[in-house]
Amino acid sequence: MPQISQILETYASQFFWLLIVFGLIYFTVSRVMLPKVEATMDARNRKIADDLAAAEHARAEANNLGDSGAADLTAARTAAQAKSAAAKVKAATDADARLAKADAEISAKIAAADADLAKATANALAGIEAVAAEAAADIVAKVSGAKVTSAQATKAVKAVMSHG
Amino acid sequence: MAGESGKIDPMYQFKIEPLAQLQLGGYDVSFTNSSLFMVLVLGALWVFMAGGMKREMVPGRWQMAVEGATGFINNMLTANVGPEGKKYVPLVFSLFMFILMANFMGMMPFGIVPGVHPFTITSHLTVTAVLALFSFGTVLVVGFWKHGLHFFSLFVPHGTPWWLLWLIPVIELFSFMIRPFSLALRLFVAMTAGHIMMKVLAGFVINGLNAEAAWVPLIVSFPAFLLMIGITLLELLVCAIQAYVFALLTSLYINDAVNLH
């Protein structure tokens, strides 16, 4: 086994070169290069953590905005409902008032028309009496040859009409 | 790989051969094939880390791999030691990446180039012992630095009955002192045993193909080759697991030193 049989001849060389090489590894690789690699990793980890925190912050903000937006929406809806209810009430009263006015006008017109109609009927009735009296006098004269005064004729017509 | 007699020696892969002679203060510090692979590991680690240094916010594949490795060690220490564990990330990362790269470098198929063979640094006790001492030494220094002599309370766990006070500290001290040995031996033995097994199986394949009897390749070489594929995959897994175990135990020991149970 050369490891043991050669140990006395080679230990000095082994120690010497191992110390040189391991010293170089320790002082160049582990003391100079390693911290730079670790600094890069730390910077990356910090950046990731920062970005995550920023994203979390933005999310919280967005949630707040959404909440206040919903509140605004509710308020606007309530206001709009109140306005539309008021408008409905006003429109109803207006319509009632107008309806009442129109009713009154129409009633007045109907009353006037009724009066006209009554007058016209009275006139017509009066005309009919005169015509009937005249016709009655003519008929009497033709049938009997007797002269009937218009007063008598009118009297007779009135008596018939009131019975009749 | 092949000995003089044409036999395949599974231990040859662990042999250290000097590539350039070098003396320093009376010690032989020649640049060997082991040193060469240490330097290769260092280069591979540099390339790997440099590929992850683009520092992009959205990482590419390579940067992802590097960040996966650093994040793995970082999590291990944070989970086992707590926030204070961050201080020990460089040490544990160095140990983990060095062992991982060395294990994998020893599995590379450099053998397809004639005359070249891969060398597994971590299959040498001299190397794993030094790595274990880095781990254990850190625990000792941190423990005494932070807690002074109070560090010895580590050997008296909470809730020890008074009538066991003569025994428990001895056991705890023993288990504490054995840590560097278990760290070093575990890695050394795992890598050595795995590589020996692979070489023995590879020897079956090659010797079976060279046999004179025609049935031998079919009966010996082919099943051995199939087994070899499985064992190679298993060995790759062991490479990663051993690096993980070393790093995990080191972070657990550091936790003892920092938090005293």
Side-chain angles (χ1 to χ4, degrees):
Chain A
M1 191 175 248
Q3 289 98 319
I4 292 165
S5 59
Q6 279 190 309
I7 204 165
L8 284 178
E9 308 137 49
T10 58
Y11 77 94
S13 155
Q14 291 279 74
F15 289 173
F16 178 74
W17 288 103
L18 179 61
L19 285 179
I20 289 178
V21 167
F22 196 80
L24 279 173
I25 288 177
Y26 184 78
F27 287 106
T28 63
V29 173
S30 297
R31 282 275 175 205
V32 178
M33 294 162 119
L34 179 64
K36 287 182 183 163
V37 173
E38 288 191 328
T40 314
M41 288 169 78
D42 286 348
R44 179 182 313 122
N45 288 340
R46 209 175 313 119
K47 175 142 177 51
I48 290 172
D50 286 356
D51 287 358
L52 279 180
E56 184 60 34
H57 185 71
R59 199 175 64 140
E61 216 161 67
N63 278 345
N64 278 343
L65 280 181
D67 288 351
S68 68
D72 282 358
L73 204 63
T74 315
R77 191 177 291 132
T78 317
Q81 274 168 353
K83 256 186 203 169
S84 80
K88 245 181 231 169
V89 170
K90 198 176 164 235
T93 37
D94 278 8
D96 281 354
R98 245 181 248 165
L99 205 62
K101 203 177 150 202
D103 266 358
E105 273 169 22
I106 290 165
S107 304
K109 266 182 199 169
I110 288 172
D114 275 352
D116 285 354
L117 203 60
K119 215 170 129 193
T121 308
N123 285 347
L125 282 176
I128 284 173
E129 268 176 26
V131 171
E134 221 169 278
D138 286 353
I139 291 167
V140 169
K142 269 182 192 166
V143 172
S144 62
K147 277 269 197 185
V148 179
T149 61
S150 67
Q152 282 173 317
T154 303
K155 199 179 158 194
V157 167
K158 257 188 188 164
V160 172
M161 279 179 74
S162 58
H163 286 132
Chain B
M1 250 164 275
E4 287 107 47
S5 61
K7 280 183 187 162
I8 291 167
D9 176 12
M11 303 312 279
Y12 179 77
Q13 56 174 326
F14 302 118
K15 199 162 188 301
I16 294 177
E17 286 158 305
L19 301 176
Q21 295 290 339
L22 195 66
Q23 296 280 329
L24 197 74
Y27 288 102
D28 176 22
V29 293
S30 303
F31 190 81
T32 62
N33 53 348
S34 175
S35 320
L36 173 67
F37 270 80
M38 290 182 198
V39 174
L40 277 179
V41 165
L42 176 64
L45 198 48
W46 268 340
V47 170
F48 176 68
M49 289 300 281
M53 301 268 287
K54 278 176 239 132
R55 319 197 64 177
E56 283 163 16
M57 259 302 152
V58 180
R61 286 182 197 181
W62 197 316
Q63 195 181 338
M64 231 21 209
V66 175
E67 286 178 1
T70 63
F72 175 64
I73 297 299
N74 214 326
N75 287 343
M76 185 191 281
L77 279 164
T78 319
N80 288 320
V81 186
E84 266 190 273
K86 290 255 180 208
K87 269 191 280 181
Y88 308 100
V89 168
L91 176 77
V92 179
F93 186 73
S94 305
L95 285 170
F96 177 72
M97 291 311 281
F98 180 74
I99 294 171
L100 189 71
M101 288 279 186
N103 290 352
F104 280 143
M105 204 57 89
M107 293 291 291
M108 290 292 148
F110 297 136
I112 54 172
V113 181
V116 180
H117 69 93
F119 182 89
T120 314
I121 313 159
T122 41
S123 66
H124 272 256
L125 196 51
T126 40
V127 172
T128 60
V130 172
L131 295 176
L133 278 180
F134 284 145
S135 168
F136 189 66
T138 308
V139 170
L140 283 183
V141 169
V142 168
F144 282 113
W145 184 273
K146 278 184 77 82
H147 304 290
L149 291 181
H150 193 60
F151 183 53
F152 286 114
S153 72
L154 187 65
F155 304 131
V156 189
H158 284 300
T160 309
W162 60 268
W163 47 272
L164 271 178
L165 276 181
W166 59 277
L167 180 61
I168 296 290
V170 179
I171 296 173
E172 289 283 326
L173 178 67
F174 186 74
S175 82
F176 183 78
M177 296 308 288
I178 205 120
R179 282 172 182 181
F181 298 99
S182 68
L183 272 182
L185 284 173
R186 183 182 300 112
L187 182 56
F188 154 66
V189 167
M191 299 320 293
T192 304
H195 281 254
I196 290 174
M197 186 156 70
M198 285 169 57
K199 280 293 185 298
V200 169
L201 276 174
F204 284 174
V205 177
I206 292 165
N207 285 339
L209 288 175
N210 290 340
E212 284 167 27
W215 56 269
V216 175
L218 194 67
I219 301 299
V220 176
S221 296
F222 185 64
F225 183 70
L226 285 184
L227 191 59
M228 181 84 197
I229 294 172
I231 294 289
T232 306
L233 293 176
L234 188 71
E235 191 62 16
L236 284 171
L237 182 69
V238 168
C239 286
I241 286 178
Q242 287 301 325
Y244 170 64
V245 165
F246 201 101
L248 180 67
L249 286 175
T250 300
S251 65
L252 288 177
Y253 297 161
I254 288 174
N255 176 45
D256 277 355
V258 171
N259 298 323
L260 287 184
H261 281 299

